[in-house]
Amino acid sequence: GNCPSDNSNPLVVNAPQTINMPESELCIGETMTLLPSSGGTWTVVYDTVATVVGALVTAVGEGLTAFNYVDANGCASTTSAQLQVNPRPNVNINVDNVCVGLTSQANPTTGGSWISNDPDIATINNNGLITALSPGTTTFVYTSSLTTCSSNPTETFTVEPGPIISYSGDSTLCIGETA
């Protein structure tokens, strides 16, 4: 018919913003920046797994989550991929104070690799065997092969100097003699 049309306010259709989650896995405590990093608002689906401030994501708990983004035009987008947050490995040292030349054991003993933060003080192999080399202190960090997450540093490992033995008697003794 005869109905007049009004084209003075054309309809504008905005496409949803293309969004990007650069990492699919993080370890608790790690961060990443979602893209776009400005021009809209990010929210997280499960805030017990990750938090988001601006576009900065911090992994806070083990689990899966996703993110939502609303651009300046009010168009919403949701990440299709989920973020997996993995725990940091739990570590410990059986004896954390030994003398030069002695050993101790760190746990876990399998499933990853160890590094010493001061290998001049003490070394550690991938089975967690610690060898005390010189007096001082160090810590160790374990990285899981499965999750690639690294532990927090172990408690401080202290290496004491060996005992000093002094003797002031005769320098020569025969079998059966005492000093």
Side-chain angles (χ1 to χ4, degrees):
N2 293 333
C3 296
S5 64
D6 181 2
N7 289 332
S8 62
N9 290 323
L11 176 64
V12 175
V13 177
N14 294 308
Q17 177 76 40
T18 300
I19 59 175
N20 182 17
M21 185 176 70
E23 302 289 334
S24 61
E25 287 190 47
L26 291 177
C27 302
I28 292 174
E30 291 180 335
T31 62
M32 74 171 165
T33 301
L34 298 168
L35 299 172
S37 58
S38 62
T41 303
W42 284 99
T43 56
V44 62
V45 175
Y46 296 111
D47 62 5
T48 57
V49 176
T51 60
V52 62
V53 176
L56 182 65
V57 173
T58 302
V60 297
E62 186 176 358
L64 288 168
T65 194
F67 301 92
N68 299 310
Y69 179 78
V70 177
D71 70 16
N73 296 315
C75 294
S77 301
T78 301
T79 55
S80 58
Q82 290 191 323
L83 174 67
Q84 170 70 50
V85 176
N86 296 310
R88 291 190 177 277
N90 292 320
V91 296
N92 66 55
I93 299 174
N94 293 350
V95 177
D96 63 6
N97 190 319
V98 300
C99 291
V100 169
L102 297 180
T103 62
S104 185
Q105 183 65 50
N107 296 298
T109 60
T110 61
S113 60
W114 283 96
I115 61 164
S116 172
N117 288 315
D118 193 340
D120 292 334
I121 302 295
T123 59
I124 187 167
N125 70 18
N126 287 339
N127 296 320
L129 182 66
I130 302 167
T131 302
L133 300 177
S134 62
T137 60
T138 189
T139 58
F140 307 97
V141 174
Y142 174 81
T143 301
S144 167
S145 298
L146 180 64
T147 65
T148 70
C149 291
S150 293
S151 69
N152 291 316
T154 61
E155 65 265 29
T156 299
F157 183 78
T158 303
V159 178
E160 303 288 350
I164 298 172
I165 300 172
S166 63
Y167 174 72
S168 60
D170 290 335
S171 62
T172 305
L173 292 175
C174 295
I175 295 176
E177 290 183 335
T178 60

